Amino acid sequence: MDNYPLLNIFWTMLELFLWILWFFLLFKIITDIFRSDDMGGWGKAGWTIFVILLPFLGVLVYLIARGSSMTQRDVAQAKQADAAFQDYIRKAAGTGGGGGATAASGGHVDDLARLAELKTSGALSDEEYRRAKDKLLA
């Protein structure tokens, strides 16, 4: 242990952390290249070759040139996943997995979900939402 002082351990840990961070960023960029809809096959191939052959320069140029659209694609994918999950919840709630629900109650669940969406979007006031919900549940 005398030949490897504490400062060298710190620098080794820092280098390891930076390499892990670098590979994470590289894989993130490569996945973004392939999920991008606004690029054709040749563009994707060019960016992939550039990022693989000149990794440091390629990643920095990609972040400068397409960094903002990377964020937009991430947000769009998150919204799409959330919408799919919400749709799954609505379908699961409407099927009546407990055995006692009917198709009519599934319709009420969908109608209540639509009312809630209209209220959150601002299309319905609180009073209109309450009246429509009372009418639906009556």
Side-chain angles (χ1 to χ4, degrees):
M1 210 47 163
D2 294 330
N3 296 334
Y4 206 68
L6 188 61
L7 188 60
N8 286 346
I9 292 172
F10 172 75
W11 284 116
T12 302
M13 295 290 286
L14 183 65
E15 287 174 357
L16 179 66
F17 173 74
L18 290 176
W19 272 108
I20 291 170
L21 184 69
W22 172 253
F23 280 115
F24 176 78
L25 183 62
L26 184 65
F27 291 137
K28 175 80 173 151
I29 287 176
I30 288 174
T31 57
D32 186 69
I33 289 170
F34 286 108
R35 92 172 158 190
S36 178
D37 291 333
D38 61 341
M39 259 195 299
W42 287 107
K44 290 178 183 183
W47 274 112
T48 304
I49 291 170
F50 186 44
V51 166
I52 290 174
L53 291 181
L54 299 171
F56 292 110
L57 182 63
V59 166
L60 292 176
V61 170
Y62 188 85
L63 287 175
I64 292 169
R66 297 182 52 87
S68 63
S69 62
M70 236 173 114
T71 305
Q72 293 168 354
R73 281 188 292 280
D74 281 342
V75 168
Q77 183 182 16
K79 285 182 181 179
Q80 186 180 21
D82 185 52
F85 180 68
Q86 294 296 331
D87 187 44
Y88 170 75
I89 289 174
R90 285 190 197 99
K91 286 181 182 177
T95 59
T102 63
S105 67
H108 288 309
V109 171
D110 291 338
D111 292 340
L112 285 172
R114 279 190 225 112
L115 280 175
E117 289 173 7
L118 287 172
K119 182 183 177 209
T120 55
S121 70
L124 289 177
S125 68
D126 290 336
E127 178 64 27
E128 292 170 328
Y129 172 74
R130 188 183 54 75
R131 279 187 282 157
K133 184 175 87 171
D134 291 342
K135 181 179 176 184
L136 185 63
L137 295 176

mmCIF file with all atom_site columns, all heavy atoms in Angstrom, residues 2-24:
data_model
loop_
_atom_site.group_PDB
_atom_site.id
_atom_site.type_symbol
_atom_site.label_atom_id
_atom_site.label_alt_id
_atom_site.label_comp_id
_atom_site.label_asym_id
_atom_site.label_entity_id
_atom_site.label_seq_id
_atom_site.pdbx_PDB_ins_code
_atom_site.Cartn_x
_atom_site.Cartn_y
_atom_site.Cartn_z
_atom_site.occupancy
_atom_site.B_iso_or_equiv
_atom_site.pdbx_formal_charge
_atom_site.auth_seq_id
_atom_site.auth_comp_id
_atom_site.auth_asym_id
_atom_site.auth_atom_id
_atom_site.pdbx_PDB_model_num
ATOM 1   N N   . ASP A 1 2  ? 2.122   1.111  0.303   1.00 0.00 ? 2  ASP A N   1
ATOM 2   C CA  . ASP A 1 2  ? 2.999   2.273  0.362   1.00 0.00 ? 2  ASP A CA  1
ATOM 3   C C   . ASP A 1 2  ? 3.282   2.859  -1.015  1.00 0.00 ? 2  ASP A C   1
ATOM 4   O O   . ASP A 1 2  ? 3.587   4.034  -1.139  1.00 0.00 ? 2  ASP A O   1
ATOM 5   C CB  . ASP A 1 2  ? 4.333   1.887  1.013   1.00 0.00 ? 2  ASP A CB  1
ATOM 6   C CG  . ASP A 1 2  ? 4.156   1.515  2.478   1.00 0.00 ? 2  ASP A CG  1
ATOM 7   O OD1 . ASP A 1 2  ? 3.225   2.067  3.090   1.00 0.00 ? 2  ASP A OD1 1
ATOM 8   O OD2 . ASP A 1 2  ? 4.931   0.683  2.971   1.00 0.00 ? 2  ASP A OD2 1
ATOM 9   N N   . ASN A 1 3  ? 3.180   2.066  -2.043  1.00 0.00 ? 3  ASN A N   1
ATOM 10  C CA  . ASN A 1 3  ? 3.475   2.541  -3.392  1.00 0.00 ? 3  ASN A CA  1
ATOM 11  C C   . ASN A 1 3  ? 2.265   3.177  -4.076  1.00 0.00 ? 3  ASN A C   1
ATOM 12  O O   . ASN A 1 3  ? 2.369   3.600  -5.210  1.00 0.00 ? 3  ASN A O   1
ATOM 13  C CB  . ASN A 1 3  ? 3.979   1.386  -4.257  1.00 0.00 ? 3  ASN A CB  1
ATOM 14  C CG  . ASN A 1 3  ? 5.283   0.828  -3.752  1.00 0.00 ? 3  ASN A CG  1
ATOM 15  O OD1 . ASN A 1 3  ? 6.040   1.535  -3.105  1.00 0.00 ? 3  ASN A OD1 1
ATOM 16  N ND2 . ASN A 1 3  ? 5.541   -0.432 -4.043  1.00 0.00 ? 3  ASN A ND2 1
ATOM 17  N N   . TYR A 1 4  ? 1.121   3.181  -3.418  1.00 0.00 ? 4  TYR A N   1
ATOM 18  C CA  . TYR A 1 4  ? -0.097  3.712  -4.035  1.00 0.00 ? 4  TYR A CA  1
ATOM 19  C C   . TYR A 1 4  ? -0.790  4.641  -3.045  1.00 0.00 ? 4  TYR A C   1
ATOM 20  O O   . TYR A 1 4  ? -1.719  4.242  -2.353  1.00 0.00 ? 4  TYR A O   1
ATOM 21  C CB  . TYR A 1 4  ? -1.008  2.543  -4.436  1.00 0.00 ? 4  TYR A CB  1
ATOM 22  C CG  . TYR A 1 4  ? -1.929  2.859  -5.580  1.00 0.00 ? 4  TYR A CG  1
ATOM 23  C CD1 . TYR A 1 4  ? -1.442  3.072  -6.860  1.00 0.00 ? 4  TYR A CD1 1
ATOM 24  C CD2 . TYR A 1 4  ? -3.298  2.934  -5.390  1.00 0.00 ? 4  TYR A CD2 1
ATOM 25  C CE1 . TYR A 1 4  ? -2.278  3.343  -7.908  1.00 0.00 ? 4  TYR A CE1 1
ATOM 26  C CE2 . TYR A 1 4  ? -4.150  3.210  -6.443  1.00 0.00 ? 4  TYR A CE2 1
ATOM 27  C CZ  . TYR A 1 4  ? -3.633  3.408  -7.696  1.00 0.00 ? 4  TYR A CZ  1
ATOM 28  O OH  . TYR A 1 4  ? -4.481  3.680  -8.741  1.00 0.00 ? 4  TYR A OH  1
ATOM 29  N N   . PRO A 1 5  ? -0.352  5.890  -2.943  1.00 0.00 ? 5  PRO A N   1
ATOM 30  C CA  . PRO A 1 5  ? -0.914  6.788  -1.936  1.00 0.00 ? 5  PRO A CA  1
ATOM 31  C C   . PRO A 1 5  ? -2.388  7.133  -2.197  1.00 0.00 ? 5  PRO A C   1
ATOM 32  O O   . PRO A 1 5  ? -2.948  6.838  -3.243  1.00 0.00 ? 5  PRO A O   1
ATOM 33  C CB  . PRO A 1 5  ? -0.039  8.036  -2.030  1.00 0.00 ? 5  PRO A CB  1
ATOM 34  C CG  . PRO A 1 5  ? 0.804   7.897  -3.219  1.00 0.00 ? 5  PRO A CG  1
ATOM 35  C CD  . PRO A 1 5  ? 0.693   6.491  -3.712  1.00 0.00 ? 5  PRO A CD  1
ATOM 36  N N   . LEU A 1 6  ? -2.973  7.772  -1.220  1.00 0.00 ? 6  LEU A N   1
ATOM 37  C CA  . LEU A 1 6  ? -4.389  8.094  -1.244  1.00 0.00 ? 6  LEU A CA  1
ATOM 38  C C   . LEU A 1 6  ? -4.773  8.979  -2.433  1.00 0.00 ? 6  LEU A C   1
ATOM 39  O O   . LEU A 1 6  ? -5.831  8.791  -3.038  1.00 0.00 ? 6  LEU A O   1
ATOM 40  C CB  . LEU A 1 6  ? -4.775  8.767  0.075   1.00 0.00 ? 6  LEU A CB  1
ATOM 41  C CG  . LEU A 1 6  ? -6.254  9.002  0.313   1.00 0.00 ? 6  LEU A CG  1
ATOM 42  C CD1 . LEU A 1 6  ? -6.994  7.674  0.329   1.00 0.00 ? 6  LEU A CD1 1
ATOM 43  C CD2 . LEU A 1 6  ? -6.477  9.744  1.605   1.00 0.00 ? 6  LEU A CD2 1
ATOM 44  N N   . LEU A 1 7  ? -3.929  9.915  -2.796  1.00 0.00 ? 7  LEU A N   1
ATOM 45  C CA  . LEU A 1 7  ? -4.228  10.790 -3.927  1.00 0.00 ? 7  LEU A CA  1
ATOM 46  C C   . LEU A 1 7  ? -4.312  9.997  -5.235  1.00 0.00 ? 7  LEU A C   1
ATOM 47  O O   . LEU A 1 7  ? -5.161  10.278 -6.081  1.00 0.00 ? 7  LEU A O   1
ATOM 48  C CB  . LEU A 1 7  ? -3.180  11.900 -4.042  1.00 0.00 ? 7  LEU A CB  1
ATOM 49  C CG  . LEU A 1 7  ? -3.474  12.992 -5.077  1.00 0.00 ? 7  LEU A CG  1
ATOM 50  C CD1 . LEU A 1 7  ? -4.793  13.689 -4.749  1.00 0.00 ? 7  LEU A CD1 1
ATOM 51  C CD2 . LEU A 1 7  ? -2.351  13.996 -5.120  1.00 0.00 ? 7  LEU A CD2 1
ATOM 52  N N   . ASN A 1 8  ? -3.464  9.007  -5.390  1.00 0.00 ? 8  ASN A N   1
ATOM 53  C CA  . ASN A 1 8  ? -3.537  8.166  -6.589  1.00 0.00 ? 8  ASN A CA  1
ATOM 54  C C   . ASN A 1 8  ? -4.828  7.359  -6.631  1.00 0.00 ? 8  ASN A C   1
ATOM 55  O O   . ASN A 1 8  ? -5.402  7.150  -7.703  1.00 0.00 ? 8  ASN A O   1
ATOM 56  C CB  . ASN A 1 8  ? -2.328  7.226  -6.655  1.00 0.00 ? 8  ASN A CB  1
ATOM 57  C CG  . ASN A 1 8  ? -1.065  7.955  -7.046  1.00 0.00 ? 8  ASN A CG  1
ATOM 58  O OD1 . ASN A 1 8  ? -1.114  9.099  -7.511  1.00 0.00 ? 8  ASN A OD1 1
ATOM 59  N ND2 . ASN A 1 8  ? 0.062   7.304  -6.854  1.00 0.00 ? 8  ASN A ND2 1
ATOM 60  N N   . ILE A 1 9  ? -5.291  6.912  -5.474  1.00 0.00 ? 9  ILE A N   1
ATOM 61  C CA  . ILE A 1 9  ? -6.580  6.203  -5.425  1.00 0.00 ? 9  ILE A CA  1
ATOM 62  C C   . ILE A 1 9  ? -7.695  7.146  -5.855  1.00 0.00 ? 9  ILE A C   1
ATOM 63  O O   . ILE A 1 9  ? -8.583  6.776  -6.619  1.00 0.00 ? 9  ILE A O   1
ATOM 64  C CB  . ILE A 1 9  ? -6.830  5.637  -4.014  1.00 0.00 ? 9  ILE A CB  1
ATOM 65  C CG1 . ILE A 1 9  ? -5.838  4.532  -3.714  1.00 0.00 ? 9  ILE A CG1 1
ATOM 66  C CG2 . ILE A 1 9  ? -8.255  5.103  -3.880  1.00 0.00 ? 9  ILE A CG2 1
ATOM 67  C CD1 . ILE A 1 9  ? -5.883  4.034  -2.277  1.00 0.00 ? 9  ILE A CD1 1
ATOM 68  N N   . PHE A 1 10 ? -7.646  8.389  -5.369  1.00 0.00 ? 10 PHE A N   1
ATOM 69  C CA  . PHE A 1 10 ? -8.649  9.381  -5.756  1.00 0.00 ? 10 PHE A CA  1
ATOM 70  C C   . PHE A 1 10 ? -8.649  9.611  -7.265  1.00 0.00 ? 10 PHE A C   1
ATOM 71  O O   . PHE A 1 10 ? -9.708  9.627  -7.901  1.00 0.00 ? 10 PHE A O   1
ATOM 72  C CB  . PHE A 1 10 ? -8.399  10.693 -5.015  1.00 0.00 ? 10 PHE A CB  1
ATOM 73  C CG  . PHE A 1 10 ? -9.265  11.816 -5.496  1.00 0.00 ? 10 PHE A CG  1
ATOM 74  C CD1 . PHE A 1 10 ? -10.601 11.875 -5.148  1.00 0.00 ? 10 PHE A CD1 1
ATOM 75  C CD2 . PHE A 1 10 ? -8.742  12.818 -6.315  1.00 0.00 ? 10 PHE A CD2 1
ATOM 76  C CE1 . PHE A 1 10 ? -11.404 12.907 -5.608  1.00 0.00 ? 10 PHE A CE1 1
ATOM 77  C CE2 . PHE A 1 10 ? -9.535  13.851 -6.775  1.00 0.00 ? 10 PHE A CE2 1
ATOM 78  C CZ  . PHE A 1 10 ? -10.872 13.892 -6.417  1.00 0.00 ? 10 PHE A CZ  1
ATOM 79  N N   . TRP A 1 11 ? -7.466  9.802  -7.858  1.00 0.00 ? 11 TRP A N   1
ATOM 80  C CA  . TRP A 1 11 ? -7.378  10.049 -9.298  1.00 0.00 ? 11 TRP A CA  1
ATOM 81  C C   . TRP A 1 11 ? -7.849  8.835  -10.097 1.00 0.00 ? 11 TRP A C   1
ATOM 82  O O   . TRP A 1 11 ? -8.492  8.977  -11.133 1.00 0.00 ? 11 TRP A O   1
ATOM 83  C CB  . TRP A 1 11 ? -5.966  10.432 -9.706  1.00 0.00 ? 11 TRP A CB  1
ATOM 84  C CG  . TRP A 1 11 ? -5.645  11.847 -9.337  1.00 0.00 ? 11 TRP A CG  1
ATOM 85  C CD1 . TRP A 1 11 ? -4.702  12.257 -8.456  1.00 0.00 ? 11 TRP A CD1 1
ATOM 86  C CD2 . TRP A 1 11 ? -6.296  13.034 -9.811  1.00 0.00 ? 11 TRP A CD2 1
ATOM 87  N NE1 . TRP A 1 11 ? -4.717  13.622 -8.345  1.00 0.00 ? 11 TRP A NE1 1
ATOM 88  C CE2 . TRP A 1 11 ? -5.695  14.132 -9.171  1.00 0.00 ? 11 TRP A CE2 1
ATOM 89  C CE3 . TRP A 1 11 ? -7.338  13.280 -10.688 1.00 0.00 ? 11 TRP A CE3 1
ATOM 90  C CZ2 . TRP A 1 11 ? -6.087  15.445 -9.393  1.00 0.00 ? 11 TRP A CZ2 1
ATOM 91  C CZ3 . TRP A 1 11 ? -7.729  14.593 -10.918 1.00 0.00 ? 11 TRP A CZ3 1
ATOM 92  C CH2 . TRP A 1 11 ? -7.115  15.648 -10.274 1.00 0.00 ? 11 TRP A CH2 1
ATOM 93  N N   . THR A 1 12 ? -7.546  7.641  -9.628  1.00 0.00 ? 12 THR A N   1
ATOM 94  C CA  . THR A 1 12 ? -8.009  6.435  -10.305 1.00 0.00 ? 12 THR A CA  1
ATOM 95  C C   . THR A 1 12 ? -9.531  6.346  -10.265 1.00 0.00 ? 12 THR A C   1
ATOM 96  O O   . THR A 1 12 ? -10.165 6.023  -11.271 1.00 0.00 ? 12 THR A O   1
ATOM 97  C CB  . THR A 1 12 ? -7.387  5.185  -9.647  1.00 0.00 ? 12 THR A CB  1
ATOM 98  O OG1 . THR A 1 12 ? -5.969  5.303  -9.698  1.00 0.00 ? 12 THR A OG1 1
ATOM 99  C CG2 . THR A 1 12 ? -7.825  3.923  -10.356 1.00 0.00 ? 12 THR A CG2 1
ATOM 100 N N   . MET A 1 13 ? -10.126 6.639  -9.124  1.00 0.00 ? 13 MET A N   1
ATOM 101 C CA  . MET A 1 13 ? -11.593 6.631  -9.005  1.00 0.00 ? 13 MET A CA  1
ATOM 102 C C   . MET A 1 13 ? -12.212 7.691  -9.914  1.00 0.00 ? 13 MET A C   1
ATOM 103 O O   . MET A 1 13 ? -13.236 7.445  -10.551 1.00 0.00 ? 13 MET A O   1
ATOM 104 C CB  . MET A 1 13 ? -12.002 6.873  -7.550  1.00 0.00 ? 13 MET A CB  1
ATOM 105 C CG  . MET A 1 13 ? -11.570 5.777  -6.607  1.00 0.00 ? 13 MET A CG  1
ATOM 106 S SD  . MET A 1 13 ? -12.467 4.265  -6.875  1.00 0.00 ? 13 MET A SD  1
ATOM 107 C CE  . MET A 1 13 ? -14.021 4.699  -6.188  1.00 0.00 ? 13 MET A CE  1
ATOM 108 N N   . LEU A 1 14 ? -11.613 8.869  -9.974  1.00 0.00 ? 14 LEU A N   1
ATOM 109 C CA  . LEU A 1 14 ? -12.114 9.931  -10.841 1.00 0.00 ? 14 LEU A CA  1
ATOM 110 C C   . LEU A 1 14 ? -12.035 9.528  -12.307 1.00 0.00 ? 14 LEU A C   1
ATOM 111 O O   . LEU A 1 14 ? -12.993 9.744  -13.066 1.00 0.00 ? 14 LEU A O   1
ATOM 112 C CB  . LEU A 1 14 ? -11.337 11.228 -10.595 1.00 0.00 ? 14 LEU A CB  1
ATOM 113 C CG  . LEU A 1 14 ? -11.814 12.443 -11.395 1.00 0.00 ? 14 LEU A CG  1
ATOM 114 C CD1 . LEU A 1 14 ? -13.224 12.830 -10.974 1.00 0.00 ? 14 LEU A CD1 1
ATOM 115 C CD2 . LEU A 1 14 ? -10.858 13.599 -11.210 1.00 0.00 ? 14 LEU A CD2 1
ATOM 116 N N   . GLU A 1 15 ? -10.917 8.937  -12.705 1.00 0.00 ? 15 GLU A N   1
ATOM 117 C CA  . GLU A 1 15 ? -10.785 8.484  -14.088 1.00 0.00 ? 15 GLU A CA  1
ATOM 118 C C   . GLU A 1 15 ? -11.816 7.407  -14.420 1.00 0.00 ? 15 GLU A C   1
ATOM 119 O O   . GLU A 1 15 ? -12.416 7.430  -15.501 1.00 0.00 ? 15 GLU A O   1
ATOM 120 C CB  . GLU A 1 15 ? -9.375  7.945  -14.339 1.00 0.00 ? 15 GLU A CB  1
ATOM 121 C CG  . GLU A 1 15 ? -8.326  9.011  -14.403 1.00 0.00 ? 15 GLU A CG  1
ATOM 122 C CD  . GLU A 1 15 ? -6.924  8.443  -14.511 1.00 0.00 ? 15 GLU A CD  1
ATOM 123 O OE1 . GLU A 1 15 ? -6.763  7.195  -14.476 1.00 0.00 ? 15 GLU A OE1 1
ATOM 124 O OE2 . GLU A 1 15 ? -5.980  9.244  -14.630 1.00 0.00 ? 15 GLU A OE2 1
ATOM 125 N N   . LEU A 1 16 ? -12.039 6.481  -13.503 1.00 0.00 ? 16 LEU A N   1
ATOM 126 C CA  . LEU A 1 16 ? -13.040 5.441  -13.710 1.00 0.00 ? 16 LEU A CA  1
ATOM 127 C C   . LEU A 1 16 ? -14.431 6.049  -13.856 1.00 0.00 ? 16 LEU A C   1
ATOM 128 O O   . LEU A 1 16 ? -15.200 5.677  -14.752 1.00 0.00 ? 16 LEU A O   1
ATOM 129 C CB  . LEU A 1 16 ? -13.007 4.445  -12.547 1.00 0.00 ? 16 LEU A CB  1
ATOM 130 C CG  . LEU A 1 16 ? -14.015 3.306  -12.626 1.00 0.00 ? 16 LEU A CG  1
ATOM 131 C CD1 . LEU A 1 16 ? -13.690 2.396  -13.811 1.00 0.00 ? 16 LEU A CD1 1
ATOM 132 C CD2 . LEU A 1 16 ? -14.024 2.525  -11.329 1.00 0.00 ? 16 LEU A CD2 1
ATOM 133 N N   . PHE A 1 17 ? -14.749 7.003  -12.993 1.00 0.00 ? 17 PHE A N   1
ATOM 134 C CA  . PHE A 1 17 ? -16.043 7.678  -13.070 1.00 0.00 ? 17 PHE A CA  1
ATOM 135 C C   . PHE A 1 17 ? -16.211 8.403  -14.404 1.00 0.00 ? 17 PHE A C   1
ATOM 136 O O   . PHE A 1 17 ? -17.267 8.336  -15.029 1.00 0.00 ? 17 PHE A O   1
ATOM 137 C CB  . PHE A 1 17 ? -16.187 8.668  -11.911 1.00 0.00 ? 17 PHE A CB  1
ATOM 138 C CG  . PHE A 1 17 ? -17.415 9.514  -12.003 1.00 0.00 ? 17 PHE A CG  1
ATOM 139 C CD1 . PHE A 1 17 ? -18.670 8.987  -11.722 1.00 0.00 ? 17 PHE A CD1 1
ATOM 140 C CD2 . PHE A 1 17 ? -17.332 10.848 -12.385 1.00 0.00 ? 17 PHE A CD2 1
ATOM 141 C CE1 . PHE A 1 17 ? -19.802 9.763  -11.826 1.00 0.00 ? 17 PHE A CE1 1
ATOM 142 C CE2 . PHE A 1 17 ? -18.452 11.628 -12.487 1.00 0.00 ? 17 PHE A CE2 1
ATOM 143 C CZ  . PHE A 1 17 ? -19.699 11.083 -12.207 1.00 0.00 ? 17 PHE A CZ  1
ATOM 144 N N   . LEU A 1 18 ? -15.168 9.101  -14.838 1.00 0.00 ? 18 LEU A N   1
ATOM 145 C CA  . LEU A 1 18 ? -15.252 9.829  -16.105 1.00 0.00 ? 18 LEU A CA  1
ATOM 146 C C   . LEU A 1 18 ? -15.405 8.877  -17.296 1.00 0.00 ? 18 LEU A C   1
ATOM 147 O O   . LEU A 1 18 ? -16.116 9.182  -18.250 1.00 0.00 ? 18 LEU A O   1
ATOM 148 C CB  . LEU A 1 18 ? -14.037 10.735 -16.280 1.00 0.00 ? 18 LEU A CB  1
ATOM 149 C CG  . LEU A 1 18 ? -13.994 11.944 -15.347 1.00 0.00 ? 18 LEU A CG  1
ATOM 150 C CD1 . LEU A 1 18 ? -12.697 12.707 -15.539 1.00 0.00 ? 18 LEU A CD1 1
ATOM 151 C CD2 . LEU A 1 18 ? -15.195 12.851 -15.573 1.00 0.00 ? 18 LEU A CD2 1
ATOM 152 N N   . TRP A 1 19 ? -14.737 7.715  -17.256 1.00 0.00 ? 19 TRP A N   1
ATOM 153 C CA  . TRP A 1 19 ? -14.901 6.733  -18.335 1.00 0.00 ? 19 TRP A CA  1
ATOM 154 C C   . TRP A 1 19 ? -16.322 6.182  -18.367 1.00 0.00 ? 19 TRP A C   1
ATOM 155 O O   . TRP A 1 19 ? -16.912 6.032  -19.435 1.00 0.00 ? 19 TRP A O   1
ATOM 156 C CB  . TRP A 1 19 ? -13.894 5.587  -18.198 1.00 0.00 ? 19 TRP A CB  1
ATOM 157 C CG  . TRP A 1 19 ? -12.611 5.878  -18.872 1.00 0.00 ? 19 TRP A CG  1
ATOM 158 C CD1 . TRP A 1 19 ? -11.428 6.165  -18.283 1.00 0.00 ? 19 TRP A CD1 1
ATOM 159 C CD2 . TRP A 1 19 ? -12.371 5.946  -20.291 1.00 0.00 ? 19 TRP A CD2 1
ATOM 160 N NE1 . TRP A 1 19 ? -10.466 6.412  -19.234 1.00 0.00 ? 19 TRP A NE1 1
ATOM 161 C CE2 . TRP A 1 19 ? -11.022 6.273  -20.478 1.00 0.00 ? 19 TRP A CE2 1
ATOM 162 C CE3 . TRP A 1 19 ? -13.176 5.758  -21.408 1.00 0.00 ? 19 TRP A CE3 1
ATOM 163 C CZ2 . TRP A 1 19 ? -10.452 6.422  -21.727 1.00 0.00 ? 19 TRP A CZ2 1
ATOM 164 C CZ3 . TRP A 1 19 ? -12.607 5.896  -22.661 1.00 0.00 ? 19 TRP A CZ3 1
ATOM 165 C CH2 . TRP A 1 19 ? -11.273 6.229  -22.813 1.00 0.00 ? 19 TRP A CH2 1
ATOM 166 N N   . ILE A 1 20 ? -16.881 5.883  -17.199 1.00 0.00 ? 20 ILE A N   1
ATOM 167 C CA  . ILE A 1 20 ? -18.267 5.399  -17.143 1.00 0.00 ? 20 ILE A CA  1
ATOM 168 C C   . ILE A 1 20 ? -19.209 6.470  -17.676 1.00 0.00 ? 20 ILE A C   1
ATOM 169 O O   . ILE A 1 20 ? -20.115 6.181  -18.462 1.00 0.00 ? 20 ILE A O   1
ATOM 170 C CB  . ILE A 1 20 ? -18.631 4.975  -15.706 1.00 0.00 ? 20 ILE A CB  1
ATOM 171 C CG1 . ILE A 1 20 ? -17.856 3.720  -15.329 1.00 0.00 ? 20 ILE A CG1 1
ATOM 172 C CG2 . ILE A 1 20 ? -20.128 4.737  -15.565 1.00 0.00 ? 20 ILE A CG2 1
ATOM 173 C CD1 . ILE A 1 20 ? -17.958 3.345  -13.869 1.00 0.00 ? 20 ILE A CD1 1
ATOM 174 N N   . LEU A 1 21 ? -18.995 7.712  -17.266 1.00 0.00 ? 21 LEU A N   1
ATOM 175 C CA  . LEU A 1 21 ? -19.804 8.826  -17.752 1.00 0.00 ? 21 LEU A CA  1
ATOM 176 C C   . LEU A 1 21 ? -19.676 8.973  -19.268 1.00 0.00 ? 21 LEU A C   1
ATOM 177 O O   . LEU A 1 21 ? -20.670 9.193  -19.969 1.00 0.00 ? 21 LEU A O   1
ATOM 178 C CB  . LEU A 1 21 ? -19.386 10.120 -17.048 1.00 0.00 ? 21 LEU A CB  1
ATOM 179 C CG  . LEU A 1 21 ? -20.184 11.364 -17.365 1.00 0.00 ? 21 LEU A CG  1
ATOM 180 C CD1 . LEU A 1 21 ? -21.575 11.240 -16.777 1.00 0.00 ? 21 LEU A CD1 1
ATOM 181 C CD2 . LEU A 1 21 ? -19.480 12.578 -16.787 1.00 0.00 ? 21 LEU A CD2 1
ATOM 182 N N   . TRP A 1 22 ? -18.457 8.841  -19.768 1.00 0.00 ? 22 TRP A N   1
ATOM 183 C CA  . TRP A 1 22 ? -18.211 8.962  -21.205 1.00 0.00 ? 22 TRP A CA  1
ATOM 184 C C   . TRP A 1 22 ? -18.956 7.880  -21.985 1.00 0.00 ? 22 TRP A C   1
ATOM 185 O O   . TRP A 1 22 ? -19.610 8.148  -22.990 1.00 0.00 ? 22 TRP A O   1
ATOM 186 C CB  . TRP A 1 22 ? -16.719 8.894  -21.498 1.00 0.00 ? 22 TRP A CB  1
ATOM 187 C CG  . TRP A 1 22 ? -16.455 8.830  -22.956 1.00 0.00 ? 22 TRP A CG  1
ATOM 188 C CD1 . TRP A 1 22 ? -16.032 7.761  -23.673 1.00 0.00 ? 22 TRP A CD1 1
ATOM 189 C CD2 . TRP A 1 22 ? -16.673 9.872  -23.902 1.00 0.00 ? 22 TRP A CD2 1
ATOM 190 N NE1 . TRP A 1 22 ? -15.945 8.077  -24.993 1.00 0.00 ? 22 TRP A NE1 1
ATOM 191 C CE2 . TRP A 1 22 ? -16.339 9.371  -25.163 1.00 0.00 ? 22 TRP A CE2 1
ATOM 192 C CE3 . TRP A 1 22 ? -17.107 11.185 -23.800 1.00 0.00 ? 22 TRP A CE3 1
ATOM 193 C CZ2 . TRP A 1 22 ? -16.432 10.139 -26.311 1.00 0.00 ? 22 TRP A CZ2 1
ATOM 194 C CZ3 . TRP A 1 22 ? -17.189 11.943 -24.940 1.00 0.00 ? 22 TRP A CZ3 1
ATOM 195 C CH2 . TRP A 1 22 ? -16.850 11.420 -26.178 1.00 0.00 ? 22 TRP A CH2 1
ATOM 196 N N   . PHE A 1 23 ? -18.874 6.631  -21.527 1.00 0.00 ? 23 PHE A N   1
ATOM 197 C CA  . PHE A 1 23 ? -19.566 5.545  -22.226 1.00 0.00 ? 23 PHE A CA  1
ATOM 198 C C   . PHE A 1 23 ? -21.080 5.709  -22.150 1.00 0.00 ? 23 PHE A C   1
ATOM 199 O O   . PHE A 1 23 ? -21.797 5.426  -23.113 1.00 0.00 ? 23 PHE A O   1
ATOM 200 C CB  . PHE A 1 23 ? -19.146 4.177  -21.678 1.00 0.00 ? 23 PHE A CB  1
ATOM 201 C CG  . PHE A 1 23 ? -17.841 3.723  -22.234 1.00 0.00 ? 23 PHE A CG  1
ATOM 202 C CD1 . PHE A 1 23 ? -16.743 3.572  -21.400 1.00 0.00 ? 23 PHE A CD1 1
ATOM 203 C CD2 . PHE A 1 23 ? -17.682 3.450  -23.587 1.00 0.00 ? 23 PHE A CD2 1
ATOM 204 C CE1 . PHE A 1 23 ? -15.527 3.163  -21.914 1.00 0.00 ? 23 PHE A CE1 1
ATOM 205 C CE2 . PHE A 1 23 ? -16.471 3.042  -24.102 1.00 0.00 ? 23 PHE A CE2 1
ATOM 206 C CZ  . PHE A 1 23 ? -15.391 2.895  -23.264 1.00 0.00 ? 23 PHE A CZ  1
ATOM 207 N N   . PHE A 1 24 ? -21.602 6.186  -21.022 1.00 0.00 ? 24 PHE A N   1
ATOM 208 C CA  . PHE A 1 24 ? -23.025 6.454  -20.914 1.00 0.00 ? 24 PHE A CA  1
ATOM 209 C C   . PHE A 1 24 ? -23.450 7.495  -21.955 1.00 0.00 ? 24 PHE A C   1
ATOM 210 O O   . PHE A 1 24 ? -24.448 7.317  -22.653 1.00 0.00 ? 24 PHE A O   1
ATOM 211 C CB  . PHE A 1 24 ? -23.371 6.948  -19.504 1.00 0.00 ? 24 PHE A CB  1
ATOM 212 C CG  . PHE A 1 24 ? -24.803 7.337  -19.345 1.00 0.00 ? 24 PHE A CG  1
ATOM 213 C CD1 . PHE A 1 24 ? -25.785 6.377  -19.193 1.00 0.00 ? 24 PHE A CD1 1
ATOM 214 C CD2 . PHE A 1 24 ? -25.176 8.673  -19.363 1.00 0.00 ? 24 PHE A CD2 1
ATOM 215 C CE1 . PHE A 1 24 ? -27.113 6.734  -19.062 1.00 0.00 ? 24 PHE A CE1 1
ATOM 216 C CE2 . PHE A 1 24 ? -26.498 9.036  -19.229 1.00 0.00 ? 24 PHE A CE2 1
ATOM 217 C CZ  . PHE A 1 24 ? -27.478 8.071  -19.077 1.00 0.00 ? 24 PHE A CZ  1
#
